[in-house]
Amino acid sequence: MIVFDKVTRSFPHNGQGRVTILDNLSFSVPRGEFLCILGPSGCGKTTLLNLIAGFLMPDSGTLSVRNTAVTAPGPDRAMVFQEPTLFPWLTVLQNVMFGLRRQGITRSSCRKQALHHLEITGLAHAVGEYPFALSGGMRQRVAIARVLALNPDVLLMDEPFSALDANTRERLQDELLALRTTHSRATIVYVTHSVSEAAYLADRIIILGDRGNIARDISVTAPHPRERSSAETLELKTLLRTYLGELCSCIPSRRKQLRPS
Ligand SMILES: Nc1ncnc2c1ncn2[C@@H]1O[C@H](COP(=O)(O)OP(=O)(O)O)[C@@H](O)[C@H]1O
Ligand SMILES: [Mg+2]
């Protein structure tokens, strides 16, 4: 579904040339996979999602989704951000209808699709509310309903639950897994800094290292539903922490590797 072929992306750095964030990155994500990306802060996780979304272009290499090179954002790829980006002047229902309307769908079928997705995300009672009246967890559910309603092939999620309290986070993780089995077979690329979240959700975990290379690529074969504190999950979390610990001790070295442009 998603293929990175020798993708490199750099950014200007404090007026001193450019710093390479993703360097010659190659990997692919099969259709329907739930891939979690872990890695130290600043290693390029959000950049990777922005490239798939088409918000950013590679400096070199190619990135394709469904065998087509990504050259712009498109309705086949949808992003959920850490802070839900709802329109404050629109109700919950209108927020979910907004993206559908832009696809040229009739008002009545937009409304029907939006209501359906608000129902499956547990928001049927809140369709007429404005975002300010909702809790953080409910706002994030609206954001999820909005992207699911677009029925994207690829769902990009950038630390979507990290701003929520632990109970809400765990509930939304369960809801996401449930939606995946019942309503959407989207390929998911899910960035997190939480080893618990990755161990609980993922079919596969990629740990990005210094220069956004793939430090580890781990298949998680445990079936769902998983136990959050089973011996298997705890073992995986310990392993992930060890891998991340190895990386964090070497990340500052990149700052010395600035390349003049
Ligand atoms: N638009 C940009 N301009 C300049 N530097 C950027 C830009 N976007 C990201 N960066 C830099 O790229 C690095 C990786 O950023 P990011 O992908 O957000 O990391 P992560 O999500 O893993 O924390 C950071 O050092 C960040 O400062
Ligand atoms: Mg980020």
Side-chain angles (χ1 to χ4, degrees):
M1 176 61 79
I2 306 169
V3 179
F4 276 71
D5 186 16
K6 301 197 182 90
V7 169
T8 295
R9 174 69 206 204
S10 62
F11 290 111
H13 186 74
N14 290 344
Q16 305 170 47
R18 296 177 75 85
V19 63
T20 300
I21 300 302
L22 300 176
D23 194 6
N24 228 5
L25 183 63
S26 296
F27 71 101
S28 56
V29 190
R31 173 189 290 271
E33 184 165 79
F34 195 139
L35 170 66
C36 277
I37 308 277
L38 276 173
S41 189
C43 73
K45 303 181 293 297
T46 296
T47 301
L48 185 145
L49 292 186
N50 284 334
L51 286 163
I52 302 173
F55 300 148
L56 288 176
M57 290 298 125
D59 297 339
S60 62
T62 52
L63 164 54
S64 52
V65 171
R66 262 179 137 176
N67 297 320
T68 307
V70 171
T71 54
D76 56 331
R77 289 151 284 139
M79 180 99 94
V80 177
F81 301 91
Q82 182 178 348
E83 295 294 338
T85 48
L86 304 178
F87 299 117
W89 60 89
L90 297 180
T91 64
V92 165
L93 178 61
Q94 289 164 340
N95 263 284
V96 178
M97 284 175 65
F98 184 84
L100 292 166
R101 287 290 282 161
R102 290 195 56 198
Q103 291 190 346
I105 303 169
T106 64
R107 191 171 181 81
S108 65
S109 87
C110 278
R111 193 183 152 80
K112 213 167 131 197
Q113 279 188 53
L115 285 171
H116 169 68
H117 284 90
L118 286 166
E119 194 168 311
I120 64 176
T121 45
L123 289 164
H125 62 290
V127 295
E129 301 284 0
Y130 285 88
F132 75 88
L134 306 177
S135 65
M138 284 172 82
R139 280 201 288 271
Q140 200 53 294
R141 275 205 211 122
V142 179
I144 290 169
R146 187 172 57 180
V147 298
L148 289 180
L150 297 171
N151 194 23
D153 292 332
V154 177
L155 189 49
L156 304 167
M157 305 186 85
D158 196 359
E159 305 191 23
F161 305 147
S162 60
L164 305 173
D165 66 83
N167 284 337
T168 310
R169 181 162 58 236
E170 292 191 356
R171 210 174 54 237
L172 288 186
Q173 288 167 356
D174 286 332
E175 286 172 13
L176 180 64
L177 289 174
L179 285 172
R180 205 169 122 69
T181 46
T182 51
H183 292 283
S184 165
R185 287 304 300 168
T187 305
I188 301 181
V189 184
Y190 187 110
V191 164
T192 177
H193 60 254
S194 157
V195 295
S196 307
E197 192 161 58
Y200 189 65
L201 296 175
D203 297 329
R204 176 185 175 196
I205 300 167
I206 284 182
I207 300 186
L208 283 190
D210 196 7
R211 291 195 159 238
N213 61 313
I214 294 182
R216 303 280 173 174
D217 189 341
I218 304 147
S219 283
V220 188
T221 50
H224 291 285
R226 293 179 188 158
E227 283 284 330
R228 290 184 192 273
S229 50
S230 68
E232 203 176 7
T233 307
L234 295 178
E235 195 180 322
L236 176 57
K237 282 163 62 172
T238 306
L239 188 70
L240 295 172
R241 278 200 192 96
T242 308
Y243 291 158
L244 283 168
E246 289 166 1
L247 288 173
C248 289
S249 53
C250 68
I251 265 279
S253 64
R254 190 176 68 201
R255 298 286 164 247
K256 296 182 198 131
Q257 297 171 345
L258 295 182
R259 283 180 177 171
S261 56

